[in-house]
Amino acid sequence: MKSTKNISSKIWIYVLLLVGVVISIAPFYWMIVGSTLKSGEIFHVPPKILPGDHLAENFRSFNDSLGIVKIFWNSLFIAVVFTMLSTLICSMAGYAFAKFRFRGRNLIFFVILCSLMIPYQVTLIPLFEMMVSFNWLNTYQAIILPSLASPFAIYLMRQNMKAVPDSLIEASRVDGAGEIRIFFTVILPVVRPALAAVSIFLFMSQWNSLIWPLITLNSKEMFTLPVALSSLIGMARIDYGQVMLGTTLSTIPIMIIFLLMQKHFISGILGGSVKE
């Protein structure tokens, strides 16, 4: 009798999980199907659940409107360069806060954490005025540089680096290694899962960024994917086939990166839960 109840409970659990999977996947499937349909067919009743034959036409229209190769290059270049630089800066800051003793360390770290509570919209006007004074509007550096020191990434790297034994660092210093060498050859390999987690987080945040690029970029040649998609939403006519196709193209790279690195992402996030 007890085994029957266990089997029944497991069946219900699997059913609920299956329902959850279907609910989670349904929007992505509908997005992919919509990218193969005409704009008018997307709102057809009953809705079409099978892919159509207008994928090439939607792709051609999207490319003619905005230039998909240039847009993809802009998004990829900005996201990759930003991720590399920001990961390096945040990991260095995390290492300093975790393993060095200096006056005001806790106060500075507290201020960094407090900056997480400042609404992002509050910083837009001062940042825009800075970009104007530097003559950086409509440039890559205007998108990449302002957000390199991410408070959340610094916090996550600091928490992970606190778990690295001090004896490992001291042994490296005794062997004659300098701080830069210790950082790159000893610390970073140990916290590799955290680096992967931070890299995914930073890449996704920059890849999906809309507000700041929308304010800073003013030419189609510099548009990123989110800005290009927002430009497709017109006052009179909206080609939802192009919108669905652009959304699909912008989602696929993130899904691939997350699926390839989800193991490191989860372990890196959990690694930041060490006690003070």
Side-chain angles (χ1 to χ4, degrees):
M1 186 69 178
K2 188 175 181 180
S3 61
T4 304
K5 288 184 177 180
N6 291 336
I7 294 174
S8 177
S9 62
K10 287 183 178 180
I11 291 176
W12 279 108
I13 291 174
Y14 288 136
V15 169
L16 291 175
L17 290 175
L18 180 61
V19 172
V21 169
V22 171
I23 293 175
S24 301
I25 293 178
F28 295 99
Y29 178 77
W30 172 243
M31 176 181 66
I32 295 172
V33 171
S35 66
T36 66
L37 301 175
K38 288 183 177 180
S39 182
E41 295 176 335
I42 294 177
F43 301 101
H44 188 271
V45 179
K48 296 186 176 182
I49 60 175
L50 296 178
D53 55 356
H54 288 81
L55 177 62
E57 181 179 340
N58 289 334
F59 186 89
R60 193 181 308 110
S61 300
F62 186 80
N63 187 50
D64 292 341
S65 300
L66 298 167
I68 191 169
V69 175
K70 182 61 176 177
I71 290 173
F72 239 98
W73 165 251
N74 291 337
S75 293
L76 188 63
F77 177 81
I78 291 173
V80 170
V81 173
F82 171 83
T83 301
M84 294 173 62
L85 293 177
S86 185
T87 301
L88 178 62
I89 292 173
C90 294
S91 59
M92 284 183 170
Y95 177 54
F97 284 119
K99 296 303 180 182
F100 285 87
R101 301 291 184 268
F102 53 90
R103 182 176 298 179
R105 182 188 66 165
N106 293 332
L107 177 61
I108 296 173
F109 186 67
F110 177 74
V111 171
I112 291 175
L113 291 183
C114 288
S115 67
L116 287 170
M117 295 182 288
I118 300 176
Y120 176 67
Q121 292 78 5
V122 174
T123 65
L124 292 179
I125 294 178
L127 280 177
F128 182 78
E129 291 179 348
M130 289 177 62
M131 297 303 106
V132 172
S133 62
F134 295 158
N135 197 25
W136 280 2
L137 290 182
N138 204 41
T139 61
Y140 288 133
Q141 58 265 31
I143 307 299
I144 295 172
L145 297 183
S147 303
L148 285 180
S150 168
F152 174 76
I154 293 174
Y155 168 78
L156 186 62
M157 294 306 302
R158 181 226 185 212
Q159 294 301 99
N160 279 270
M161 288 180 179
K162 283 179 69 69
V164 178
D166 293 336
S167 58
L168 186 64
I169 300 175
E170 292 300 329
S172 300
R173 288 171 179 163
V174 170
D175 289 339
E179 295 300 331
I180 299 297
R181 183 179 176 185
I182 292 174
F183 176 75
F184 283 102
T185 62
V186 177
I187 300 298
L188 291 188
V190 174
V191 296
R192 190 178 303 167
L195 287 175
V198 168
S199 298
I200 294 174
F201 168 77
L202 294 173
F203 183 88
M204 291 177 61
S205 64
Q206 186 59 255
W207 182 268
N208 294 323
S209 179
L210 172 62
I211 297 178
W212 180 240
L214 187 63
I215 294 173
T216 309
L217 305 177
N218 51 39
S219 66
K220 290 184 178 181
E221 290 75 18
M222 294 296 298
F223 278 1
T224 59
L225 270 169
V227 178
L229 289 175
S230 69
S231 68
L232 293 176
I233 310 299
M235 295 292 292
R237 180 179 179 273
I238 303 175
D239 192 331
Y240 288 99
Q242 291 187 43
V243 173
M244 288 290 189
L245 176 62
T247 307
T248 301
L249 293 175
S250 65
T251 304
I252 289 176
I254 296 179
M255 294 179 65
I256 293 175
I257 292 175
F258 183 79
L259 290 175
L260 292 176
M261 303 181 67
Q262 61 177 333
K263 179 181 177 181
H264 298 292
F265 180 78
I266 295 172
S267 59
I269 291 295
L270 293 178
S273 60
V274 297
K275 294 183 179 180
E276 295 286 342

